[in-house]
Amino acid sequence: MIISHIKKDDNNHWEFQSNEKHQAGVAKLASEFADSFGMSEWGKVLGLLHDKGKEQKTFQQHIKSASGYENIHVDGDYNHAYVGALIAKKLFNNPPYYQFIDNIIMGHHRGLYDEGDKAFVLKKELPSDIAIPQIEAKLNLPPAKRREDINHIIRMLYSCLVDADYLDTEQFMQPEQSKLRGGKSSIEELLTKLESHLNCLKNNAQDTDVNKIRNEVQDYCINQSSGDIDFYSLTVPTGGGKTLSSILWALRHAKTNKQRRIIIAIPYTSIITQTASVLKSIFGCENVLEHHSNVNTSANIEKELSLKLRLATENWDYPIIVTTNVQLFESLFSNRPSDCRKLHNIANSVIILDEVQTLPMAFLRPIVDVLNTLNSIFNVSVLFTTASQPILSGRINGCNPMVGFDALPHIHEIIPHEANLHDRLRRVKLEINDNPQSYEQIACQIGKHQRVLCIVNTRKDAKEIYTRLPKDGLCFHLSRMMCPEHVKETILEIKKALKDNSNTVIRVIATQLIEAGVDIDFPVVYRQEAGLDSILQAAGRCNREGKLGICTTYVFALENKLPSGFITQTNNARKNVYNDNIDWFSPEAMNKYFYQLHSRIDNFDKANIKDLLYKQEMQFEEASNKFKLIDDSTISVIVNWKCGMDFVHRLKTDGISYNLMRNMSQYSVNIRKRDFDILNKAGAIEEILEGIYGIQSPKFYDNKVGLVTDNKWLEETYII
């Protein structure tokens, strides 16, 4: 027998999976996965060839030795992945076909190669003890319509092979774990649950104008859900019931077009947690996968369901996925097996991009390109949802003609223009003062209000205004120098305080982390000057339920200049839209704003994806390393807040585990190297394990503002 996998059973007896059986099993699964986008035969070929290298004598020696089955010397190189690629070149020596096979097979363990590295590996000779098989397969031409499609087709086929390989291996090595996969509700069953929930809400809702508009938005979504697989937008002002309406549209649309799952991508973890909580209450935890760095899959749920959810993060085999933009798009441009494994389950789905105006301009071209490919090749519908719809169709022009690019061909808006939602849901007016003011002046203005929220752009501005506020009543501060669990707890405290009418004074100073998706309601909001989309997001925290008539969001400028870069570009774009008669809340104003913003952008492809992946010689690994939506040069440290140090103790005694690392992330703060060096110099930093740092002294973590660089709270606090 040519062995593929070895294990011991419960009775300590050796069991073997033959390579022939493994490859057949992988071929069957990969074929089924690839069939969802018309490339079933390709999946079969990849499965049948991917482990042919295991037939080498050296690999058979290796697997027997490594498993402990036999004490045997490994007589040479036992690497096996490249062998199937060499065989594929002999069997399918036609460039339009071969280039879709070789990299996938040889990279199915280590990741897709850059072209030069791939060519170097393929200079190897086919081992003499490998037999070339006869494979009957009718490979259709890959369905690429544009050069931009090809790298994504390769990556999608790669996903089919990698997931099939993992699943077949798991079925043999861990059969009990394998049984936990599958068994979720269908799209039809989920739609029934949602419709029942919405009917219950309607029957118990007050007869208000806002609730009438929310019902109207749902009716529009129902009526527009039967369209073809395409691009759609749902432009609804804050308070219009966008979240549930978008899910209603997506489920009905998926049912019409026989799509398999709903993927909701959100820019901020604060919104994800809130959205996922709502969806789990409707559909059950067993049907909603929350996949992001701050989620704790073991919290408040049974052990078996926790394991199912963890397994589902590997390949997204769930009917509803709630994830981040970073997780979604970085996976779509990754070369690594762990990231790409899930991609084939994006095919035949509906993607909801929430708060779509936050897509980073520096990556807008490759993001739009991959959305085009997902739609045209992989039967994916995309719904863009926001109150501040950006420009994503037609020609997008930058600061010069060389920067521009062709975006999506069209986007179908679900809400008709004549619905006039921005006017009918108007609860706020903007008062904009672009004249620079001092910290004292702004703090004085804020101090005149009893319940007020102020949102600023930088940590320095937050600190300066916060320290000047009157100390009567409740005063909260929110920043990313607080660990995620601390931020979450503080937001809950703010919400609880707002519901208690005995709390007459509640003042909150925050950075942008509170700006979108956090369901809080203040009668007065202050927002430091910024782009129009950010200002309207801040205004969405003002008079949210519309119970106070028309309230005011004040936009102010400070004497110190804004940081150079994107925030200055957005603010200047907003200023250039200004005229005396403009309605800042109208779609027309937002359209003019994004036109102005685009004209200030000098690069919509910071990662240079165009040159790395849109040419004959594709650089998969380099593109993967460069496509990072968040330029994160920070260092994560575990802080001494609540049970943070308990996790540090467990890490020291028990070592690293999946759930422990997840839990610790809730008690960690990401800081710049400059701040890390300050804390390290003060003796605050401890390296717990290699690359994992903690700050045990409670002097360096304040219960109000989070991590500090020494124990002089107000004077030396760094706030972002």
Side-chain angles (χ1 to χ4, degrees), residues 21-35:
K21 185 173 182 180
H22 173 60
Q23 292 193 129
V26 173
K28 181 177 183 296
L29 285 173
S31 175
E32 291 172 359
F33 297 156
D35 189 49

Side-chain angles (χ1 to χ4, degrees), residues 247-496:
I247 302 296
L248 176 62
W249 177 90
L251 286 172
R252 292 180 66 92
H253 183 78
K255 179 181 177 182
T256 297
N257 291 288
K258 296 180 172 54
Q259 292 161 303
R260 300 178 299 174
R261 59 182 47 83
I262 313 298
I263 300 169
I264 307 161
I266 299 174
Y268 310 115
T269 53
S270 58
I271 314 178
I272 291 178
T273 302
Q274 186 171 288
T275 301
S277 177
V278 171
L279 298 183
K280 288 173 185 177
S281 70
I282 299 170
F283 303 111
C285 292
E286 68 277 8
N287 289 309
V288 179
L289 173 66
E290 192 177 353
H291 188 190
H292 57 89
S293 60
N294 287 344
V295 71
N296 179 9
T297 56
S298 63
N300 301 319
I301 53 178
E302 60 184 87
K303 183 177 180 181
E304 182 175 305
L305 178 55
S306 175
L307 180 56
K308 284 184 177 181
L309 290 167
R310 182 173 68 80
L311 293 174
T313 63
E314 297 172 350
N315 67 352
W316 282 9
D317 186 14
Y318 244 63
I320 298 177
I321 313 291
V322 187
T323 190
T324 62
N325 288 347
V326 170
Q327 179 68 235
L328 173 64
F329 288 112
E330 289 189 3
S331 294
L332 284 164
F333 285 93
S334 180
N335 76 314
R336 292 180 288 275
S338 57
D339 293 333
C340 293
R341 182 178 174 184
K342 68 177 80 74
L343 297 185
H344 71 91
N345 277 325
I346 297 176
N348 285 317
S349 69
V350 178
I351 295 178
I352 300 174
L353 291 180
D354 194 23
E355 304 297 350
V356 65
Q357 78 283 354
T358 63
L359 290 176
M361 290 293 166
F363 295 89
L364 193 61
R365 177 172 182 175
I367 286 174
V368 168
D369 285 340
V370 72
L371 292 177
N372 242 326
T373 299
L374 289 174
N375 172 250
S376 63
I377 308 295
F378 300 108
N379 304 316
V380 172
S381 292
V382 182
L383 177 65
F384 304 108
T385 68
T386 180
S388 308
Q389 203 68 240
I391 299 172
L392 291 173
S393 61
R395 180 74 182 177
I396 292 182
N397 295 305
C399 64
N400 65 66
M402 297 297 293
V403 175
F405 68 100
D406 291 324
L408 305 177
H410 51 257
I411 301 173
H412 305 286
E413 172 59 49
I414 292 173
I415 307 297
H417 186 269
E418 56 269 23
N420 202 25
L421 293 187
H422 73 279
D423 196 34
R424 293 165 59 200
L425 280 169
R426 194 183 303 273
R427 306 176 305 281
V428 183
K429 64 178 180 179
L430 297 183
E431 285 195 12
I432 300 175
N433 183 357
D434 287 323
N435 296 317
Q437 301 180 72
S438 67
Y439 293 123
E440 288 81 3
Q441 288 174 307
I442 297 301
C444 181
Q445 293 173 40
I446 294 170
K448 293 177 182 178
H449 303 282
Q450 292 186 320
R451 291 194 170 195
V452 56
L453 166 67
C454 177
I455 302 174
V456 295
N457 297 321
T458 71
R459 60 185 185 178
K460 181 179 185 296
D461 295 335
K463 172 191 171 184
E464 296 292 346
I465 295 173
Y466 180 72
T467 57
R468 287 166 170 80
L469 285 180
K471 300 307 177 197
D472 57 317
L474 298 174
C475 191
F476 294 95
H477 186 282
L478 280 168
S479 82
R480 287 299 178 194
M481 287 303 273
M482 300 155 66
C483 65
E485 196 66 28
H486 192 180
V487 169
K488 187 191 306 180
E489 183 175 293
T490 303
I491 290 174
L492 290 174
E493 286 181 16
I494 294 171
K495 290 181 176 181
K496 183 179 179 181

